[in-house]
């Protein structure tokens, strides 16, 4: 089976996985206490029995759960995620307006975490007994243990009061005027702190992992071969060793995408970032189930896509996987 | 004729849990242009460390080259700058390793890895280097070299990978090729093919080969001269024919006794008790005492051996004079010569 067959098969798995996630989320949310009809009625300013019944009928809440699930699944397949109880707006539109900031945040955080983390780990591995290596070990332990909101608050304190270089709130300046390039810069400026906060937590893991992986690879026979050719230490490290050391890092990066997305939920709340995280948080408080389900669906979709991309990247990076897959 | 590469009183130490241990306790060797020098000895006697020292690749830490010289074409390379060493490595002195399965980088094609060495030391374009890599693969006897150049190591057998390593090592026409147990990991028929290939290459390019092995059979087949090592020292050295026909050190006799079906038993049996295998193991380096390191395993041991370490060669002879001659570090052998 060639690469395209592999991709098709992975896409198929992805779709099945997503459907499973949708069903589970749906059942879990309906098992949670609280009656959405009451909440909706509350929003409308009163809750007579008559109104409640009408609301139940309007939203299909009076039907058996299995029927509701069937209707919901049918909607999902045709791209209809229902209407928000709170906004009275299609969920897909609500999410559409917020998914880009979230993707921006997650991707920026992942890039910060990987480049800084791998850089730190690689430098540490070149002298495993050195002071820098010890610093990286301590730093990554602390970074790993510190909760997101703590890191976020520390950065807010640091940058809001002591070193006010970066905005700590929102995604764009109020009353912004300027061309698209200036706007992009403005967004990047706002992106810095939230992305750094989210990145730092994962950075620690990448630093630790790449330090270990790099130390391992630097002792490999083929690294000795590279030296025996007369290559410079820089070429040996960054070409021959790093190309192999990143393989386990790629695997972890794929797995971390899910955690990164749930971390984004907290970071968006701390920095008032207008993404899906805030929407999810608010929907929980408002018992806005369709919106919450929609957010969860898109989060799962992002994870599935990220994992697919990681897999493809891994196949490009490791020729053993590439041909191994095609032989089967 | 001057030696191409000569090692003088080389001492290498390692920092270990037991403190500093001596891996090489002052060894001297000469490699003449175009010859094959065999270095033979059991596991752990320091063969690979000797080879890595010649490449300037002793891992540091924990290794330290604490004394001695390695002179290549008149230049003491133990004092060469890292930059100078990188020029020599792969261009003038190159090496192939014991582990063909893991010595090639799994993420680059065979052709890329050979072409990389060519481009590093020669002023050629990427395309020219690739063509040269394909040609080298043909020289080392790989079928369909053009297709194989684009293959990854995992798509090749061990023997084929070792051929790729050899192609890489000879890509810049080195003057010295160090082969550290190049066939240990390969099966017997492939071993013979690799030996044939190395002989071909020596004939074609006139390269001097340093053949490291623990197998006297390989020495008999390949080497012009031999250095026998034991516990970080050279204990017997001379022309391969002399040593195989007339080994002086009981350890060397033991190694020859280990050659299967070579028909040399008759020659050595008269002189020494035959040893099908040498009993015992090489003592750990940190436990070596003042006497001969082989004393505890030696069938001819006597008191003096435990007190006093025998020097290599009859007393007073300079290392240079060993060349062509036959030198041995053994009290028993000395007595015999005196007698
Ligand atoms: N990195 C190291 N740290 C500590 N000691 C080492 C190291 N490398 C080698 N040594 C020691 O140096 C001695 C010589 O090792 P070397 O690898 O040269 O043996 P060898 O003769 O090549 O054996 P083999 O036939 O198993 O390859 C060994 O006793 C070993 O313990
Ligand atoms: Mg060895």
């Amino acid at each position: 089976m060639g690469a395209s067959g592999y991709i098709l098969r992975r896409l198929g798995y992805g779709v099945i996985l997503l459907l499973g996630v949708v069903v589970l989320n749906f059942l879990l949310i309906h098992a949670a206490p609280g009656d959405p009809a009451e909440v909706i009625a509350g929003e409308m300013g009163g809750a007579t029995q008559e109104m409640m019944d009408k609301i139940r009928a309007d939203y299909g809440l009076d039907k058996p759960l299995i029927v509701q699930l069937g209707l919901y699944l049918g909607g999902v397949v045709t791209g209809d995620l229902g209407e928000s109880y709170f906004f009275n707006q299609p969920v897909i539109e609500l999410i559409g307006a917020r998914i880009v900031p979230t993707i921006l945040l997650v991707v920026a955080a992942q890039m910060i975490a990987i480049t800084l983390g791998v850089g730190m780990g690689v430098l540490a591995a070149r002298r495993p007994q050195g002071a820098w290596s010890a610093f990286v070990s301590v730093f990554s332990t602390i970074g790993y243990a510190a909760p997101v909101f703590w890191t976020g608050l520390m950065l807010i304190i640091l940058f809001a009061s002591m070193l006010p270089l970066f905005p700590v709130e929102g995604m764009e300046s109020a009353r912004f005027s300027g061309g698209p390039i200036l706007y992009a810069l403005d967004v990047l400026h706002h992106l810095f702190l939230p992305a750094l906060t989210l990145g730092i937590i994962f950075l620690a893991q990448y630093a630790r992992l790449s330090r270990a992986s790099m130390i391992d690879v630097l002792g490999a026979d083929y690294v000795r071969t590279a030296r025996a050719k007369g290559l410079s230490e820089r070429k040996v490290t960054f070409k021959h060793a790093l190309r192999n050391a990143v393989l386990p890092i790629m695997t972890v990066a794929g797995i971390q995408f899910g955690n990164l997305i749930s971390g984004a939920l907290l970071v968006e709340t701390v920095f008032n970032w207008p993404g899906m995280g805030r929407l999810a948080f608010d929907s929980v408080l408002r018992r806005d189930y369709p919106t919450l389900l929609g957010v969860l669906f898109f989060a799962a979709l992002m994870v599935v896509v990220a994992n697919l991309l990681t897999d493809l990247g891994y196949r490009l990076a490791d020729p053993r996987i590439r041909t191994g897959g095609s032989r089967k | 004729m001057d030696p191409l590469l000569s090692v003088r009183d080389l001492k290498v130490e390692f920092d270990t849990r037991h403190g500093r241990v001596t891996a090489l306790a002052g060894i001297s060797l000469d490699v003449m242009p175009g010859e094959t020098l065999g270095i033979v000895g059991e596991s752990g006697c320091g063969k690979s460390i000797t080879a890595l020292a010649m490449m300037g690749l002793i891992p540091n830490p924990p290794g330290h080259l604490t004394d001695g010289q390695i002179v290549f074409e008149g230049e003491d390379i133990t004092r060469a700058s890292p930059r100078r060493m990188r020029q020599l490595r792969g261009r003038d002195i190159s090496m192939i390793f014991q582990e063909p399965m893991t010595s090639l980088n799994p993420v680059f094609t065979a052709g890329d890895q050979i072409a990389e060495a060519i481009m590093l030391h020669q002023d050629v374009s990427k395309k020219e280097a690739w063509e040269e890599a394909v040609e080298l693969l043909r020289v080392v006897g790989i079928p369909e070299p053009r297709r194989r150049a684009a293959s990854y190591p995992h798509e090749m057998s061990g023997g084929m990978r070792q051929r790729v390593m050899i192609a890489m090592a000879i890509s810049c026409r080195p003057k010295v090729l160090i082969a550290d147990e190049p066939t240990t990991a390969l099966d017997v028929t492939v071993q013979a093919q690799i030996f044939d290939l190395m002989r071909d290459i020596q004939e074609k390019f006139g390269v001097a080969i340093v053949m490291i092995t623990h197998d006297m059979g390989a020495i008999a087949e390949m080497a012009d001269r031999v250095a026998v090592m034991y516990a970080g020292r050279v204990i017997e050295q001379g022309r391969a024919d002399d040593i195989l026909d007339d080994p002086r050190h009981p350890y060397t006799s033991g190694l020859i006794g280990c050659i299967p079906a070579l028909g040399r038993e008759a020659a050595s049996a008269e002189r020494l008790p035959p040893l099908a295998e040498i009993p015992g193991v090489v003592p750990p380096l940190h436990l070596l005492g003042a006497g001969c390191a082989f004393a505890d395993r030696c069938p001819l041991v006597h008191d003096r051996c435990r007190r006093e370490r025998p020097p290599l060669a009859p007393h007073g002879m300079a290392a240079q004079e060993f060349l062509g001659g036959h030198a041995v570090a053994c009290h028993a052998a000395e007595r015999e010569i005196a007698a």
Side-chain angles (χ1 to χ4, degrees):
Chain A
M1 186 188 295
S4 54
Y6 172 82
I7 294 172
L8 276 180
R9 196 177 43 171
R10 286 299 316 253
L11 275 176
Y13 288 153
V15 169
I16 293 169
L17 186 69
L18 272 180
L19 284 178
V21 166
V22 168
V23 171
L24 267 180
N25 280 338
F26 187 89
L27 295 177
L28 271 175
I29 281 194
H30 283 267
D35 180 353
E38 256 172 51
V39 181
I40 298 165
E43 294 290 341
M44 293 158 102
T48 62
Q49 188 58 44
E50 201 174 313
M51 272 180 83
M52 297 272 284
D53 289 344
K54 183 170 161 14
I55 287 168
R56 286 209 175 85
D58 283 355
Y59 286 90
L61 294 170
D62 52 349
K63 300 198 177 68
L65 192 58
I66 190 75
V67 177
Q68 290 186 41
L69 175 60
L71 288 174
Y72 185 71
L73 273 178
V76 169
V77 170
T78 56
D80 175 12
L81 293 174
E83 271 204 10
S84 162
Y85 297 160
F86 180 80
F87 294 99
N88 292 323
Q89 212 183 331
V91 167
I92 201 103
E93 280 176 22
L94 286 172
I95 291 175
R98 288 168 179 80
I99 194 162
V100 172
T102 294
I103 290 177
L104 205 58
L105 175 62
V106 167
V107 170
Q110 181 80 305
M111 271 164 43
I112 289 175
I114 290 179
T115 46
L116 290 184
V118 171
M120 286 170 73
V122 167
L123 288 182
R126 294 183 81 172
R127 289 187 190 285
Q129 312 300 339
W132 171 253
S133 191
F135 168 78
V136 168
S137 298
V138 172
F139 172 85
S140 51
T141 310
I142 294 175
Y144 189 49
V148 179
F149 59 85
W150 182 83
T151 315
L153 289 177
M154 288 301 123
L155 284 176
I156 286 182
I157 292 169
L158 178 66
F159 282 97
S161 48
M162 294 188 236
L163 208 88
L165 291 177
F166 295 97
V168 296
E169 214 249 5
M171 188 173 89
E172 55 201 20
S173 303
R175 292 190 304 278
F176 179 85
S177 66
I181 294 175
L182 284 177
Y183 178 73
L185 287 176
D186 186 53
V187 170
L188 277 182
H189 193 208
H190 282 79
L191 179 61
F192 182 79
L193 283 184
L196 187 65
T197 306
L198 188 54
I200 276 181
I201 311 154
F202 294 92
L203 180 158
Q205 280 197 38
Y206 290 119
R208 217 160 44 160
L209 178 67
S210 53
R211 178 178 175 276
S213 167
M214 197 67 183
I215 287 175
D216 195 38
V217 168
L218 281 173
D221 291 337
Y222 53 80
V223 166
R224 186 183 56 191
T225 305
R227 292 201 176 104
K229 276 182 199 178
L231 287 173
S232 65
E233 231 8 62
R234 217 188 53 207
K235 268 267 169 72
V236 170
T237 308
F238 291 102
K239 185 176 173 191
H240 283 262
L242 190 57
R243 264 297 302 272
N244 286 279
V246 293
L247 297 175
I249 298 169
M250 287 184 75
T251 311
V252 170
I255 296 168
Q256 287 298 7
F257 243 100
N259 296 337
L260 213 55
I261 288 168
S262 48
L265 187 146
L266 288 170
V267 170
E268 286 180 4
T269 313
V270 172
F271 289 94
N272 206 12
W273 186 259
M276 293 194 335
R278 269 233 72 110
L279 185 64
F281 184 72
D282 293 340
S283 312
V284 171
L285 295 183
R286 294 170 187 143
R287 291 187 201 289
D288 186 352
Y289 292 159
T291 309
L292 186 56
L293 278 174
V295 170
L296 292 176
F297 172 76
F298 269 90
L301 181 64
M302 280 161 67
V303 171
V304 167
V305 170
N307 280 334
L308 188 63
L309 291 178
T310 314
D311 260 27
L312 292 179
Y314 200 100
R315 282 168 66 85
L316 283 180
D318 190 348
R320 286 163 295 188
I321 305 280
R322 224 180 298 156
T323 44
S326 65
R327 239 187 251 135
K328 269 179 211 162
Chain B
M1 192 163 39
D2 282 342
L4 184 60
L5 180 77
S6 57
V7 176
R8 284 289 164 271
D9 303 315
L10 186 71
K11 207 167 169 186
V12 173
E13 299 180 322
F14 280 95
D15 293 320
T16 69
R17 279 176 298 140
H18 308 287
R20 275 227 163 164
V21 300
T22 305
L24 296 182
I27 66 160
S28 298
L29 297 166
D30 286 296
V31 184
M32 304 304 288
E35 75 164 350
T36 297
L37 171 71
I39 300 181
V40 65
E42 280 169 299
S43 197
C45 68
K47 304 181 299 290
S48 296
I49 297 300
T50 305
L52 289 175
M54 291 173 176
M55 295 290 288
L57 285 177
I58 297 282
N60 175 351
H64 306 271
L65 201 156
T66 49
D67 202 10
Q69 299 176 321
I70 301 172
V71 180
F72 175 72
E73 295 189 318
E75 179 185 0
D76 180 2
I77 59 177
T78 61
R79 287 159 201 277
S81 68
R83 206 193 132 104
R84 172 72 184 141
M85 237 12 253
R86 287 202 302 271
Q87 275 178 358
L88 292 176
R89 241 182 252 144
R91 190 188 70 184
D92 295 299
I93 311 177
S94 58
M95 181 161 174
I96 57 179
F97 300 94
Q98 190 169 345
E99 306 86 2
M101 299 312 278
T102 50
S103 289
L104 289 168
N105 196 322
V107 302
F108 300 112
T109 62
D112 274 337
Q113 296 188 59
I114 300 170
E116 184 183 37
I118 296 171
M119 278 193 292
L120 189 64
H121 297 293
Q122 293 167 30
D123 190 20
V124 295
S125 71
K126 198 167 177 166
K127 191 164 182 320
E128 287 164 331
W130 182 266
E131 287 305 319
E132 176 65 15
V134 172
E135 173 58 21
L136 282 161
L137 289 176
R138 199 186 55 72
V139 168
V140 298
I142 287 185
E144 298 185 76
R146 193 162 294 280
R147 186 174 71 81
R148 279 303 176 180
S151 298
Y152 288 92
H154 73 273
E155 297 165 316
M156 302 181 181
S157 66
M160 219 186 269
R161 290 187 211 189
Q162 198 59 298
R163 285 175 195 267
V164 172
M165 283 297 292
I166 292 173
M168 192 191 298
I170 61 169
S171 64
C172 298
R173 309 289 182 268
K175 295 180 178 127
V176 182
L177 173 63
I178 304 168
D180 187 356
E181 308 200 28
T183 60
T184 304
L186 304 173
D187 67 49
V188 188
T189 48
V190 183
Q191 279 185 20
Q193 291 168 7
I194 296 284
F195 284 150
D196 285 343
L197 171 63
M198 288 176 64
R199 267 193 300 262
D200 279 358
I201 279 168
Q202 187 166 44
E203 215 161 279
K204 204 173 280 174
F205 301 113
V207 60
I209 295 179
V210 177
M211 249 286 297
I212 293 176
T213 178
H214 55 246
D215 170 12
M216 269 290 181
I219 292 291
E221 205 168 316
M222 295 288 292
D224 300 311
R225 287 189 313 112
V226 190
V228 183
M229 288 185 68
Y230 190 80
R233 289 192 155 78
V234 175
I235 50 105
E236 183 159 10
Q237 192 177 36
R239 290 176 3 100
D241 292 340
D242 291 347
I243 288 189
L244 288 164
D245 291 341
D246 182 20
R248 296 292 175 81
H249 199 289
Y251 176 65
T252 313
S253 307
L255 286 180
I256 293 171
C258 297
I259 309 181
L262 212 74
R264 292 186 191 273
E265 297 88 345
S268 49
E270 290 164 30
R271 194 177 303 275
L272 289 166
L275 295 169
E277 66 180 56
I278 311 173
V281 292
V282 188
L285 293 174
H286 65 282
L287 294 180
L288 287 182
C292 174
F294 189 58
D296 285 340
R297 301 169 69 189
C298 184
L300 303 178
V301 65
H302 54 103
D303 287 351
R304 191 175 164 208
C305 302
R306 301 197 192 274
R307 277 196 321 270
E308 189 190 323
R309 176 173 301 120
L312 184 64
H315 302 296
M317 191 189 266
Q320 197 63 47
E321 295 167 43
F322 297 170
L323 216 60
H326 187 159
V328 60
C330 177
H331 295 312
E334 238 179 274
R335 264 187 325 180
E336 197 181 309
I337 291 165

